[in-house]
Amino acid sequence: MSKKRAAVSLSNLSPELLKIFKERYPHGYQDFVFKVEKPNGDFFHAVTLETEDAIYLVKVPVKIDTKIKDEDEEKDFFGSLTDDTIGTEGDEFPDDISDEEPAEEMADE
């Protein structure tokens, strides 16, 4: 006997199916999402949910990150990538302290 197959939106799952869904994906479904293309060229993202009598394609919302990760990290670390304020003439540095005696090192006791 073959199982019934159906597509359903996550927001339209019955309470019973939602409970099974949460048991199946206790830490989220992000690693199980796949893209389903329709014949007309449209698509949706889904995960599978199998019960004793049916296999469901559960349509899930997906947020696509379109930013370039490396560029964002550089912006956070260095400020804006186009910011040319590093090393301007207004920078102040301490006077040369090389004439002072070096600090004493602590001996291991």
Side-chain angles (χ1 to χ4, degrees):
M1 180 176 165
S2 66
K3 292 184 178 188
K4 172 178 87 169
R5 296 178 181 266
V8 63
S9 177
L10 179 62
S11 60
N12 293 335
L13 285 179
S14 68
E16 297 84 21
L17 286 177
L18 189 57
K19 180 181 176 186
I20 296 169
F21 185 87
K22 288 179 180 180
E23 290 171 357
R24 169 70 171 95
Y25 302 105
H27 302 292
Y29 54 82
Q30 65 274 6
D31 294 332
F32 303 96
V33 175
F34 57 93
K35 184 177 179 179
V36 178
E37 294 191 26
K38 297 179 179 180
N40 66 0
D42 289 342
F43 64 91
F44 61 91
H45 292 92
V47 296
T48 58
L49 181 64
E50 189 168 348
T51 64
E52 289 182 15
D53 59 341
I55 300 173
Y56 297 94
L57 267 182
V58 181
K59 298 178 188 178
V60 293
V62 174
K63 181 179 177 185
I64 306 291
D65 188 7
T66 58
K67 295 180 182 179
I68 299 172
K69 184 177 180 181
D70 293 338
E71 188 174 301
D72 288 343
E73 287 177 4
E74 285 183 24
K75 283 182 185 178
D76 291 342
F77 187 75
F78 296 109
S80 174
L81 290 177
T82 59
D83 189 6
D84 293 329
T85 59
I86 298 173
T88 61
E89 291 180 27
D91 287 344
E92 293 183 24
F93 296 95
D95 293 332
D96 187 9
I97 58 171
S98 62
D99 293 339
E100 295 180 17
E101 292 182 26
E104 292 182 27
E105 292 185 20
M106 295 183 69
D108 290 335
E109 295 181 23

